[in-house]
Amino acid sequence: MHSSRPENKAGVFPEGFFWGASTSAHQVEGGNTNNWTEWEEKNAKRLAGNAKNEYAFLREDLFREANNPENYRSGKAADHYHRFREDFDIMSSLGLNAYRFSIEWSRIEPKQGVFDEKEINHYIFMIKELRARGIEPFVTLWHWTVPVWFEDKGGWESKDAVSDFEHFVTKAASVFPEVKFWITLNEPDIYSYNSYKKGEWPPQKKSIFKYFRVRSQLIRAHKTAYNALKRINPGVNVGIAKDTMCFQPYKGKWINRLISAILSFWVNKSFLNAIRSSLDFIGVNYYFRNLVHLWKIQNENKIVSDMGWELYPSGISEVLTALGKYKLPMYVTETGLADSNDEKREWYLREILKEISQEIGKGIDVRGFFYWSLLDNFEWDKGFWPRFGLIEVEYTKSCARRVRPSAIALKKIIREGL
Ligand code: BGC
């Protein structure tokens, strides 16, 4: 059903292709209590204080938001917890047939070993509502937030971390039998780097030893979760959402080629190699190309997002070609941009979909595309000002939804091709 057609040209997607959008619980639900909400409380003022220097490049309205401490508290976020049906109706109207979201561990297991039936039922209901609209759920088990009790025990550094996670995953597998696509971890390399090497995200540690320890714990966590999910329901598909980047050598120089190859191996492949035997599919999250000039990244930045990130949709081809070597089905589980005026999103969507369809045409097994994000949301330590959504959330009007023109353009692409 999913196999790519040999005659595939740019703009043609295989039968059964999943057209989706992604979110994560902490970024959209609102009303969470977890390690991040605690960290936000302690750091909101500091982050707002840094904004003057850090975000001086922002447009005035966004800059104003970035200077406000409230910007850095997730609070009610996009209120997706209460408005998910409305959001799913919009998804249906756009022709989307898949939704990637995460279930919030801290809601399901607020105290160690104590599961909250009401919260479990909330997600069961969400899954039912998706199925009623013909939307396939792709469920992420860990998208960076953890319960406070887990963090208090030492978080991912703790010797119990993997078995605690396994306990949660086992429960999830048995109470959500409707889920056919599981994503164990979201971007483990980005998390371990920002939280334990750079020391910017909770728990803000800066230690190369801790970084490697957490990374290897996450490798074990994935494998353990894979086995637990398969034990309970052997028919499910289990993968990971891997952060990937495209590396290109500046001016093609040999030294830059060598460094690019090393970086590309470390960033894109080394985690996947470690979990290769416990993977049914690869989820590809793609945002960046890096033009490598010795040990520096020297991007051209011809087109940038509101966040100043270079937009380089064609870089995804290199990533997909490279990961195609694993001979596993792939889903683009995230790609997108912060673009509050919706000026570049349609262009980005068209360009990246062109690249993906060309890869499919070459025989690369890509079975779905999930735009990040369905909704404007809480962008971690940056807060609310970056607007990634296909759907605009009007925060000043109690989170009213407004479908952006680029979402309508995507609808047309889904229906008519590129
Ligand atoms: C993460 C998302 C995040 C997005 C944009 C990805 O790294 O999985 O949670 O919002 O990038 O920064």
Side-chain angles (χ1 to χ4, degrees), residues 13 25 109 114 222 243 265 304 324 351 357 375 381:
F13 291 88
E109 194 180 0
V114 179
H222 168 83
D243 45 290
F265 171 78
V304 295
E351 291 303 309
S357 79
L375 299 163
D381 60 339

PDB file of all heavy atoms in Angstrom, residues 13 25 109 114 222 243 265 304 324 351 357 375 381:
ATOM      1  N   PHE A  13       2.482  11.955  -4.388  1.00  0.00           N
ATOM      2  CA  PHE A  13       2.732  11.241  -3.137  1.00  0.00           C
ATOM      3  C   PHE A  13       2.045   9.886  -3.186  1.00  0.00           C
ATOM      4  O   PHE A  13       0.977   9.759  -3.783  1.00  0.00           O
ATOM      5  CB  PHE A  13       2.235  12.077  -1.946  1.00  0.00           C
ATOM      6  CG  PHE A  13       3.068  13.297  -1.737  1.00  0.00           C
ATOM      7  CD1 PHE A  13       2.772  14.480  -2.395  1.00  0.00           C
ATOM      8  CD2 PHE A  13       4.195  13.249  -0.931  1.00  0.00           C
ATOM      9  CE1 PHE A  13       3.569  15.602  -2.235  1.00  0.00           C
ATOM     10  CE2 PHE A  13       4.997  14.360  -0.773  1.00  0.00           C
ATOM     11  CZ  PHE A  13       4.687  15.547  -1.418  1.00  0.00           C
ATOM     12  N   ALA A  25       2.402  17.763  24.279  1.00  0.00           N
ATOM     13  CA  ALA A  25       1.458  18.079  25.353  1.00  0.00           C
ATOM     14  C   ALA A  25       1.814  19.384  26.070  1.00  0.00           C
ATOM     15  O   ALA A  25       0.979  20.289  26.187  1.00  0.00           O
ATOM     16  CB  ALA A  25       1.422  16.924  26.356  1.00  0.00           C
ATOM     17  N   GLU A 109       0.747   9.745  35.485  1.00  0.00           N
ATOM     18  CA  GLU A 109       1.335   9.178  36.715  1.00  0.00           C
ATOM     19  C   GLU A 109       1.825  10.334  37.602  1.00  0.00           C
ATOM     20  O   GLU A 109       3.018  10.576  37.731  1.00  0.00           O
ATOM     21  CB  GLU A 109       2.494   8.236  36.342  1.00  0.00           C
ATOM     22  CG  GLU A 109       2.948   7.350  37.484  1.00  0.00           C
ATOM     23  CD  GLU A 109       4.110   6.411  37.103  1.00  0.00           C
ATOM     24  OE1 GLU A 109       4.573   6.444  35.944  1.00  0.00           O
ATOM     25  OE2 GLU A 109       4.564   5.676  37.989  1.00  0.00           O
ATOM     26  N   VAL A 114       1.178   5.752  40.925  1.00  0.00           N
ATOM     27  CA  VAL A 114      -0.255   6.068  41.036  1.00  0.00           C
ATOM     28  C   VAL A 114      -0.736   6.616  39.690  1.00  0.00           C
ATOM     29  O   VAL A 114      -0.272   7.660  39.241  1.00  0.00           O
ATOM     30  CB  VAL A 114      -0.505   7.134  42.137  1.00  0.00           C
ATOM     31  CG1 VAL A 114      -1.989   7.468  42.234  1.00  0.00           C
ATOM     32  CG2 VAL A 114       0.050   6.662  43.465  1.00  0.00           C
ATOM     33  N   HIS A 222      14.787   3.910  25.186  1.00  0.00           N
ATOM     34  CA  HIS A 222      14.103   3.593  23.923  1.00  0.00           C
ATOM     35  C   HIS A 222      13.952   2.078  23.757  1.00  0.00           C
ATOM     36  O   HIS A 222      12.873   1.574  23.453  1.00  0.00           O
ATOM     37  CB  HIS A 222      14.841   4.171  22.709  1.00  0.00           C
ATOM     38  CG  HIS A 222      14.296   3.605  21.434  1.00  0.00           C
ATOM     39  ND1 HIS A 222      13.172   4.106  20.822  1.00  0.00           N
ATOM     40  CD2 HIS A 222      14.661   2.499  20.706  1.00  0.00           C
ATOM     41  CE1 HIS A 222      12.872   3.360  19.769  1.00  0.00           C
ATOM     42  NE2 HIS A 222      13.765   2.380  19.669  1.00  0.00           N
ATOM     43  N   ASP A 243      16.060  14.146  15.899  1.00  0.00           N
ATOM     44  CA  ASP A 243      16.522  15.435  15.387  1.00  0.00           C
ATOM     45  C   ASP A 243      17.586  15.163  14.326  1.00  0.00           C
ATOM     46  O   ASP A 243      18.498  14.378  14.552  1.00  0.00           O
ATOM     47  CB  ASP A 243      17.111  16.281  16.520  1.00  0.00           C
ATOM     48  CG  ASP A 243      18.030  15.475  17.415  1.00  0.00           C
ATOM     49  OD1 ASP A 243      17.533  14.599  18.162  1.00  0.00           O
ATOM     50  OD2 ASP A 243      19.263  15.682  17.350  1.00  0.00           O
ATOM     51  N   PHE A 265      27.623  12.312  11.033  1.00  0.00           N
ATOM     52  CA  PHE A 265      27.545  10.979  11.640  1.00  0.00           C
ATOM     53  C   PHE A 265      27.053  11.092  13.087  1.00  0.00           C
ATOM     54  O   PHE A 265      26.123  10.411  13.506  1.00  0.00           O
ATOM     55  CB  PHE A 265      28.916  10.276  11.608  1.00  0.00           C
ATOM     56  CG  PHE A 265      28.906   9.017  12.424  1.00  0.00           C
ATOM     57  CD1 PHE A 265      28.331   7.862  11.900  1.00  0.00           C
ATOM     58  CD2 PHE A 265      29.403   8.994  13.725  1.00  0.00           C
ATOM     59  CE1 PHE A 265      28.257   6.702  12.673  1.00  0.00           C
ATOM     60  CE2 PHE A 265      29.317   7.844  14.496  1.00  0.00           C
ATOM     61  CZ  PHE A 265      28.757   6.690  13.965  1.00  0.00           C
ATOM     62  N   VAL A 304      15.260  33.751   6.438  1.00  0.00           N
ATOM     63  CA  VAL A 304      15.236  33.304   7.843  1.00  0.00           C
ATOM     64  C   VAL A 304      13.803  33.378   8.393  1.00  0.00           C
ATOM     65  O   VAL A 304      12.956  34.097   7.870  1.00  0.00           O
ATOM     66  CB  VAL A 304      16.176  34.149   8.749  1.00  0.00           C
ATOM     67  CG1 VAL A 304      17.629  33.979   8.361  1.00  0.00           C
ATOM     68  CG2 VAL A 304      15.778  35.612   8.737  1.00  0.00           C
ATOM     69  N   GLY A 324      17.969   6.889   4.410  1.00  0.00           N
ATOM     70  CA  GLY A 324      17.395   5.823   3.576  1.00  0.00           C
ATOM     71  C   GLY A 324      18.227   4.551   3.656  1.00  0.00           C
ATOM     72  O   GLY A 324      17.725   3.443   3.440  1.00  0.00           O
ATOM     73  N   GLU A 351       8.274  24.042  -0.971  1.00  0.00           N
ATOM     74  CA  GLU A 351       9.651  23.655  -1.272  1.00  0.00           C
ATOM     75  C   GLU A 351      10.007  22.334  -0.617  1.00  0.00           C
ATOM     76  O   GLU A 351      10.598  21.452  -1.230  1.00  0.00           O
ATOM     77  CB  GLU A 351      10.636  24.748  -0.800  1.00  0.00           C
ATOM     78  CG  GLU A 351      10.566  26.028  -1.586  1.00  0.00           C
ATOM     79  CD  GLU A 351      10.813  25.819  -3.079  1.00  0.00           C
ATOM     80  OE1 GLU A 351      11.818  25.176  -3.426  1.00  0.00           O
ATOM     81  OE2 GLU A 351       9.975  26.282  -3.887  1.00  0.00           O
ATOM     82  N   SER A 357       8.916  14.704  -2.154  1.00  0.00           N
ATOM     83  CA  SER A 357       8.322  13.890  -3.222  1.00  0.00           C
ATOM     84  C   SER A 357       9.401  13.432  -4.204  1.00  0.00           C
ATOM     85  O   SER A 357       9.335  12.331  -4.747  1.00  0.00           O
ATOM     86  CB  SER A 357       7.183  14.628  -3.920  1.00  0.00           C
ATOM     87  OG  SER A 357       7.691  15.545  -4.834  1.00  0.00           O
ATOM     88  N   LEU A 375      -0.643  23.997  15.901  1.00  0.00           N
ATOM     89  CA  LEU A 375      -1.095  25.235  16.564  1.00  0.00           C
ATOM     90  C   LEU A 375       0.089  26.105  16.967  1.00  0.00           C
ATOM     91  O   LEU A 375       1.163  25.579  17.248  1.00  0.00           O
ATOM     92  CB  LEU A 375      -1.784  24.874  17.884  1.00  0.00           C
ATOM     93  CG  LEU A 375      -3.016  23.998  17.849  1.00  0.00           C
ATOM     94  CD1 LEU A 375      -3.279  23.435  19.238  1.00  0.00           C
ATOM     95  CD2 LEU A 375      -4.203  24.818  17.396  1.00  0.00           C
ATOM     96  N   ASP A 381      12.093  27.414  26.189  1.00  0.00           N
ATOM     97  CA  ASP A 381      12.706  28.565  26.885  1.00  0.00           C
ATOM     98  C   ASP A 381      12.490  29.891  26.144  1.00  0.00           C
ATOM     99  O   ASP A 381      12.837  30.950  26.648  1.00  0.00           O
ATOM    100  CB  ASP A 381      14.198  28.321  27.144  1.00  0.00           C
ATOM    101  CG  ASP A 381      14.990  28.091  25.868  1.00  0.00           C
ATOM    102  OD1 ASP A 381      14.383  27.722  24.827  1.00  0.00           O
ATOM    103  OD2 ASP A 381      16.217  28.273  25.896  1.00  0.00           O
TER     104      ASP A 381
END
